[in-house]
Amino acid sequence: MASITTPDSDLYTIFVVEDHPTTLAGIHSILQRFGSKIVVETLKTLQEAREAIQQLPPNLLVLDLQLPENSREPASTETGIQFLKDLMQTYPHLNIAIHSSYPDALIRILPDIDNHRGGFTVTNKDSSTEKAFERFNAALQGYTHTRDIRSLKAGLELKPEWLSTLDLACTEGYQDRAIAKHLHVSESMVRNYWSKIYDVLGIYPEDEKEEGRNLRIVTCLKAREEGLVD
């Protein structure tokens, strides 16, 4: 494992946990699109990843799911899923980008993903370079994008606090500060709720901003279409 470097304030630290050389080369090629703004550390086992994160949690973790615990053991999706579940509990604000050939395995821990406060995105290794870069960047910015695994489950599933946020915003016209006060949570938690709501409704903030649309209006319209608010 390469030594961990503490980046300058203007740099992002990205850990890549991947043991396949060809895939690793592809990920590094994608990350080059961030330019000189990043410091990348490569880790090949879950043990290396665990130790590195304990020493210095990164701004973004790019993680395969089929990984070995150490250099003496075979790669396993089960091991990777358990590592991810434990990681989200220990580091609830860590930004995570899953880059795996087995993203369907995440459906088993979807409740844990919904509770995670950091960015969380998913891409299949077969995805285009453009799509992978967009998902990595979204996770780095704290956004959630799990449509690829949510499509495996029928219907919309929103937690009660997400529904309350929608109701207060779309029915009562509350802004985030008022929503936070009403729900007795921080404004950052309300922003986390919105990230989860966007993901479930299939609304992606960057796309809406590029089109010049008001994100709150788009979200409320979509919520009404789905019967989530009056």
Side-chain angles (χ1 to χ4, degrees):
M1 182 184 71
S3 61
I4 304 300
T5 304
T6 303
D8 296 332
S9 58
D10 293 335
L11 296 178
Y12 293 109
T13 301
I14 299 178
F15 289 175
V16 178
V17 192
E18 171 61 63
D19 66 336
H20 195 283
T22 302
T23 303
L24 187 58
I27 292 174
H28 278 281
S29 177
I30 294 168
L31 293 177
Q32 286 179 358
R33 300 184 63 175
F34 284 105
S36 59
K37 297 186 296 183
I38 62 171
V39 174
V40 180
E41 300 289 347
T42 299
L43 309 156
K44 295 184 178 181
T45 70
L46 296 176
Q47 182 178 351
E48 287 183 0
R50 192 177 293 109
E51 292 172 354
I53 294 168
Q54 287 175 350
Q55 184 176 345
L56 177 68
N59 298 106
L60 175 66
L61 178 72
V62 179
L63 179 69
D64 187 12
L65 292 177
Q66 190 172 40
L67 290 163
E69 173 60 32
N70 53 57
S71 59
R72 300 180 301 278
E73 297 183 14
S76 165
T77 302
E78 291 295 330
T79 305
I81 288 290
Q82 187 59 52
F83 170 81
L84 176 60
K85 185 174 181 177
D86 294 342
L87 190 70
M88 289 189 291
Q89 292 176 350
T90 306
Y91 302 94
H93 295 280
L94 181 64
N95 295 323
I96 301 170
I98 301 299
H99 190 64
S100 174
S101 297
Y102 307 96
D104 294 1
L106 292 169
I107 199 70
R108 289 174 282 170
I109 59 168
L110 193 53
D112 299 277
I113 295 171
D114 285 341
N115 287 328
H116 190 62
R117 299 184 186 181
F120 194 100
T121 64
V122 182
T123 49
N124 195 297
K125 287 183 178 180
D126 293 335
S127 299
S128 67
T129 297
E130 182 67 28
K131 182 177 181 179
F133 173 74
E134 289 177 355
R135 299 287 173 83
F136 291 175
N137 189 44
L140 182 61
Q141 302 303 321
Y143 292 117
T144 300
H145 191 302
T146 59
R147 180 172 56 187
D148 296 347
I149 55 173
R150 287 187 188 278
S151 63
L152 300 173
K153 297 187 73 172
L156 297 177
E157 296 185 9
L158 277 78
K159 298 175 71 173
E161 55 267 34
W162 305 351
L163 289 170
S164 295
T165 298
L166 276 173
D167 184 60
L168 291 170
C170 302
T171 304
E172 303 296 336
Y174 284 19
Q175 297 301 311
D176 286 358
R177 179 174 296 182
I179 293 172
K181 184 176 181 180
H182 189 89
L183 297 180
H184 306 290
V185 298
S186 66
E187 286 189 61
S188 64
M189 180 61 75
V190 172
R191 289 193 292 272
N192 177 259
Y193 292 165
W194 281 121
S195 178
K196 303 298 185 182
I197 291 166
Y198 300 149
D199 185 50
V200 173
L201 293 179
I203 296 170
Y204 301 101
E206 294 303 316
D207 293 343
E208 300 302 331
K209 290 177 182 177
E210 286 182 6
E211 295 295 329
R213 291 190 285 262
N214 184 292
L215 188 58
R216 185 64 55 90
I217 292 174
V218 170
T219 304
C220 290
L221 287 173
K222 181 67 173 179
R224 288 191 173 95
E225 289 175 4
E226 297 291 346
L228 299 175
V229 294
D230 296 331

